[in-house]
Amino acid sequence: MLRRVKKLLGWHKIENVLIIPYRSYGTKNHLYLLGRALDDVPLKIVEDQSFLNTLKNTYKQFDSFEIPEAKIELDIPDLLQLKTVSDCEGYFLFEETTEKDLSTVANEEGWVTINLLFQESEDSSPSEERKHFQAEVLIPEDKAEYGVISDIDDTILHTGVTSFLKWRLLKNSLLTNAYKRIPFKGAADFYQKLHLGKNGENKNPMFYLSNSPWNMYQYLKLFLDYNKFPKGPILLRNFRTPFDRSIKPEKPHKQKEIINILKTYPHLRFILIGDSGEHDASIYTEIAAQYPDRIMAIYLRSVKHKKRMDRVQSIVTAFETTPVLLIDNSVDAEAHARQSGFIK
């Protein structure tokens, strides 16, 4: 509390600079990187963590100390150097179109490593190791057969978003260690097969969506990596409080992000994966109707909620533009993908 009072009065001095860049995506000539500058230490989530430490980590994720007007430099050696300043919530964005080919420094999976540097002032020394950070941006290969855009909540990770008063969602997401969260059976293996494609050689890009706030980024990143899901950009949303007076987005977060991906890669077709619990069916079919030649298939994992299942079934039955499958498990989706020639 004393720290917050000092911050409000302008007396607080930055103690621990933490730059959190979010895994993002781009093209050979376009860079897009979002991140956040915080006065904090890295979150430590360990496998044998006690329940008390899990609670502490949950608190730390949301009790963030933002660094407004943080001066941040971006460097891709011999290719690109940029500068930006964070906003009042510590968020910063690098977006640049360049004539240079960024893919020349990408690894075999298409990831470009980017150096980030925090400078407290224009004349401050950049020598301190803690002020250097690294980011990653995905540039899909030209030979990719297709892309995959997947929801996280109740699609690959059971959250209980349809539970009464969402109490299971709160328990699973906030009170359970990321190492102990169990993905749906077979999901990681199925996603790896989609990532490899029909001949097992292509690096098809994977994108992960969630309505969770950016505060949950490190938690979800750890879950995906630990359970061996293919590496991909993780797209969350800004946390809106009851006091937020900024203009509310016209389109839902998932819809906006999917359309941005489609526009970024106009020559790439996609498979959409979600669940029948909330609004994925409506959003996905609306996008497929808008881009009929771009969506190869839609897989919706069934949830145990009769009213919502009835509503989703009516949407699926009436939709004929793109194959839409309600699936109970990853085996069903994998069978359809193999029959359709998506995987070998």
Side-chain angles (χ1 to χ4, degrees), residues 188-238:
D189 183 60
F190 175 48
Y191 280 48
Q192 288 289 357
K193 290 175 180 176
L194 290 172
H195 179 52
L196 292 174
K198 186 176 181 180
N199 59 24
E201 296 179 359
N202 292 328
K203 308 294 192 302
N204 298 328
M206 312 292 291
F207 302 85
Y208 300 98
L209 301 177
S210 174
N211 277 326
S212 298
W214 284 113
N215 304 68
M216 296 290 292
Y217 172 79
Q218 295 179 79
Y219 182 98
L220 293 174
K221 175 177 174 289
L222 173 59
F223 166 81
L224 292 169
D225 292 347
Y226 178 72
N227 288 286
K228 296 181 171 55
F229 282 88
K231 187 175 178 179
I234 302 171
L235 309 172
L236 309 183
R237 65 183 179 91
N238 195 6

Side-chain angles (χ1 to χ4, degrees), residues 9-271:
L9 295 175
W11 298 345
H12 176 68
K13 184 179 180 180
I14 297 175
E15 298 175 2
N16 298 287
V17 176
L18 177 62
I19 304 298
I20 303 177
Y22 305 128
R23 280 181 186 166
S24 190
Y25 60 93
T27 67
K28 292 180 179 180
N29 305 110
H30 187 80
L31 174 77
Y32 181 93
L33 178 65
L34 178 69
R36 202 174 192 189
L38 300 175
D39 180 4
D40 210 341
V41 294
L43 192 66
K44 292 183 180 179
I45 303 177
V46 296
E47 195 166 353
D48 58 350
Q49 185 170 270
S50 68
F51 178 71
L52 180 60
N53 284 333
T54 298
L55 283 177
K56 289 180 179 178
N57 278 336
T58 298
Y59 176 78
K60 282 188 63 177
Q61 287 178 94
F62 290 90
D63 186 41
S64 55
F65 287 83
E66 305 85 8
I67 304 179
E69 300 181 8
K71 298 178 178 64
I72 302 170
E73 296 183 10
L74 175 150
D75 177 52
I76 304 177
D78 301 323
L79 280 179
L80 195 63
Q81 289 77 40
L82 301 171
K83 293 183 179 182
T84 193
V85 177
S86 64
D87 64 16
C88 61
E89 295 183 77
Y91 290 104
F92 62 87
L93 173 65
F94 287 103
E95 185 168 15
E96 184 77 7
T97 299
T98 175
E99 294 181 357
K100 296 183 178 180
D101 187 350
L102 300 176
S103 68
T104 57
V105 293
N107 65 14
E108 60 180 10
E109 289 281 334
W111 290 94
V112 175
T113 299
I114 297 171
N115 299 314
L116 297 177
L117 170 68
F118 169 84
Q119 282 191 302
E120 192 166 345
S121 63
E122 292 294 338
D123 57 352
S124 62
S125 171
S127 60
E128 294 182 64
E129 185 178 352
R130 69 183 178 89
K131 292 189 177 183
H132 293 259
F133 304 87
Q134 286 191 328
E136 295 178 300
V137 172
L138 175 65
I139 300 178
E141 295 185 7
D142 291 335
K143 64 179 182 178
E145 295 173 327
Y146 53 82
V148 178
I149 303 174
S150 175
D151 179 34
I152 296 177
D153 313 315
D154 279 327
T155 300
I156 59 178
L157 171 65
H158 179 69
T159 61
V161 72
T162 61
S163 64
F164 181 66
L165 297 180
K166 299 191 184 296
W167 69 271
R168 285 183 183 171
L169 172 65
L170 297 174
K171 175 182 178 295
N172 289 332
S173 300
L174 304 181
L175 306 179
T176 306
N177 187 348
Y179 284 101
K180 295 183 179 180
R181 299 294 297 277
I182 301 175
F184 283 106
K185 186 177 180 180
D189 183 60
F190 175 48
Y191 280 48
Q192 288 289 357
K193 290 175 180 176
L194 290 172
H195 179 52
L196 292 174
K198 186 176 181 180
N199 59 24
E201 296 179 359
N202 292 328
K203 308 294 192 302
N204 298 328
M206 312 292 291
F207 302 85
Y208 300 98
L209 301 177
S210 174
N211 277 326
S212 298
W214 284 113
N215 304 68
M216 296 290 292
Y217 172 79
Q218 295 179 79
Y219 182 98
L220 293 174
K221 175 177 174 289
L222 173 59
F223 166 81
L224 292 169
D225 292 347
Y226 178 72
N227 288 286
K228 296 181 171 55
F229 282 88
K231 187 175 178 179
I234 302 171
L235 309 172
L236 309 183
R237 65 183 179 91
N238 195 6
F239 186 74
R240 292 182 66 90
T241 69
F243 308 102
D244 195 334
R245 293 293 180 264
S246 62
I247 300 175
K248 191 174 182 179
E250 294 181 4
K251 295 180 180 180
H253 163 68
K254 291 181 185 178
Q255 184 174 1
K256 177 178 69 69
E257 294 292 353
I258 293 173
I259 291 176
N260 284 342
I261 294 170
L262 291 175
K263 290 181 176 179
T264 301
Y265 309 109
H267 304 299
L268 199 61
R269 301 175 71 196
F270 286 87
I271 295 172

